Amino acid sequence: MAVAVSGGSDSTALLLGLKDWARGREVSLYAVTVDHGLRAASTQEAEAVARLCAELGLPHHCLVWQGWDGQGNLSDAARRARYDLMADWALGHDIHDLVLGHTQNDQAETLVMRLARGAGLDGLAGMGARTTRGAMTLHRPLLGVSRESLRAYLRQREIGWADDPSNDDPQYARVRTRAALSALESAGVEVAALAKVAGYLREARETIGHVAQEAAERLVQFDAGDLVIDAQAWGEERRDIQRRILQAALRWVSGHGYPARGAAVEALLEALQRDEATTLHGCRVIARREYIRITREWAAVADLEASAGALWDGRWQVSGPFEPEDRIRALGEASLALCPDRRQAGYPAASLIASPAVWRDGQLIAAPLAGLGQSDGWSAECLRSRRDLNDTLLSH
């Protein structure tokens, strides 16, 4: 089991508590710190965590992020990078459980921040005590514990912690939200109550997720890496169920670990009512009177390349008589005419041009979904399953 430790009070208290909990149990505990390199003191803070872990007799690993290019939302980019770095490191060491130090305060802050953005049920449900992220399970055992109680615990054990100066910088939305929460407390709206509301909303979200999963079993068919939805039955579903299935379907096809923006999904739902084709989240959505087909968008995979036998686009396993120099790339519209049996394959052109093909010295060798090369032993298998779709419907 890995535990994320930044050196702040929350994660330091979590580290100590897990150390005590793991004693006597058959659990190997590893501490991992991500140094974002955005502050001069970050390296020293990581070193302090390493010293504490050495005192506790726990292995510690520091991961360095060097991916910030100065563009976009820094906080969001750092958060995504932090999760990706820790997950990649953990899975590389055959660790599938990562424990995070999010507290009751974090839960309340998340609720208020998402409320300010006009979030729906998914956003307002906050963080789960246990969620899946690919092959990783994330655990948040402190969501019912206040930050101040954790600091009292550290003082009792005479253990210090690092304070990130950005936690006092009002340019960050979370810092402004903390100030707003202080004002709300004076009106009787306490952090514990907000966290409890987030928990209730999460229960409601999980219930709706199960309803959506049952609907998807009836509505959604799998066809060579595409998802095909019965349009008539789809039109009879409630809009919130449609929205949830559509979000999960887009993620299933694209492989993105995050949902499409709510406003864009609403626009897509409106377009589907008009039987209009559109693109979103790396997918092309084709609307017909009888069906809705969600396939990969050509532009999203046009530059993707994989070596012989490697996974392409995160989901396609191509098999056949590879030569070492062969490369897997999308078929593309210009090469579709080189597949004489493409119509017999039974898939739309939009699906085929974004499907995997094998190239050798710039020449097209095989396009299994378009019927090219099948007689020579070439095949392509989509490794995502209905279970993956169900997991997305039930997770957040």
Side-chain angles (χ1 to χ4, degrees), residues 301-302 304-306 312 327-331 355-359 362-363:
V301 295
L304 293 183
E305 182 176 293
W312 183 77
R327 292 293 180 266
I328 305 170
R329 299 197 298 270
L331 176 60
S355 70
V358 181
W359 303 80
Q363 299 296 315

Side-chain angles (χ1 to χ4, degrees), residues 16-59:
L16 295 175
L18 281 177
K19 166 68 174 176
D20 293 343
W21 171 83
R23 187 181 296 118
R25 291 181 169 88
E26 294 184 0
V27 176
S28 298
L29 191 62
Y30 299 81
V32 57
T33 301
V34 176
D35 180 1
H36 295 93
L38 300 174
R39 294 183 293 107
S42 63
T43 301
Q44 288 76 16
E45 291 167 3
E47 292 171 350
V49 173
R51 289 193 296 271
L52 175 59
C53 289
E55 294 173 7
L56 296 173
L58 293 175

Side-chain angles (χ1 to χ4, degrees), residues 89-294:
W89 174 86
L91 293 174
H93 290 77
D94 199 28
I95 298 172
H96 295 265
D97 294 275
L98 176 64
V99 191
L100 306 169
H102 294 119
T103 67
Q104 188 179 80
N105 300 73
D106 294 311
Q107 188 76 295
E109 292 163 9
T110 299
L111 173 65
V112 173
M113 289 174 66
R114 292 177 178 176
L115 183 65
R117 295 200 298 264
L121 179 59
D122 283 357
L124 299 179
M127 298 175 285
R130 179 174 176 170
T131 57
T132 58
R133 182 185 171 93
M136 292 293 300
T137 299
L138 306 182
H139 304 266
R140 298 181 178 91
L142 302 181
L143 289 178
V145 184
S146 72
R147 179 167 295 123
E148 184 50 45
S149 66
L150 293 173
R151 293 184 172 185
Y153 167 69
L154 291 175
R155 295 187 192 101
Q156 183 182 23
R157 296 192 58 164
E158 298 182 345
I159 300 291
W161 64 85
D163 282 318
D164 185 344
S166 65
N167 289 333
D168 297 319
D169 189 340
Q171 72 170 312
Y172 295 106
R174 190 167 289 273
V175 175
R176 298 193 299 272
T177 300
R178 287 173 185 166
L181 283 172
S182 297
L184 285 173
E185 285 188 349
S186 65
V189 182
E190 297 182 348
V191 163
L194 290 170
K196 184 178 291 187
V197 168
Y200 291 149
L201 292 172
R202 187 163 192 87
E203 290 179 0
R205 183 220 172 272
E206 290 172 354
T207 299
I208 294 177
H210 283 285
V211 174
Q213 180 187 354
E214 293 173 357
E217 291 282 350
R218 294 182 283 103
L219 297 175
V220 181
Q221 300 297 321
F222 295 73
D223 189 24
D226 294 354
L227 296 184
V228 183
I229 301 173
D230 182 326
Q232 181 176 350
W234 169 266
E236 296 171 357
E237 288 293 335
R238 291 178 57 88
R239 193 175 180 92
D240 51 352
I241 300 300
Q242 291 179 340
R243 183 185 303 112
R244 193 166 299 277
I245 292 175
L246 195 56
Q247 280 279 25
L250 291 169
R251 291 177 63 181
W252 190 93
V253 172
S254 69
H256 290 317
Y258 53 91
R261 293 189 177 276
V265 174
E266 290 300 321
L268 176 55
L269 285 168
E270 295 293 333
L272 291 177
Q273 289 185 337
R274 299 188 296 269
D275 293 337
E276 293 178 2
T278 187
T279 58
L280 178 63
H281 216 49
C283 301
R284 181 166 181 79
V285 184
I286 303 168
R288 297 288 186 269
R289 186 180 301 275
E290 300 82 13
Y291 65 85
I292 299 166
R293 190 179 193 99
I294 303 175

Side-chain angles (χ1 to χ4, degrees), residues 293-336:
R293 190 179 193 99
I294 303 175
T295 189
R296 198 68 161 108
E297 182 187 3
W298 149 250
V301 295
D303 297 325
L304 293 183
E305 182 176 293
S307 58
L311 202 63
W312 183 77
D313 193 25
R315 60 179 184 149
W316 287 104
Q317 186 68 62
V318 179
S319 302
F322 278 109
E323 295 290 339
E325 71 276 8
D326 290 349
R327 292 293 180 266
I328 305 170
R329 299 197 298 270
L331 176 60
E333 187 172 5
S335 301
L336 194 58

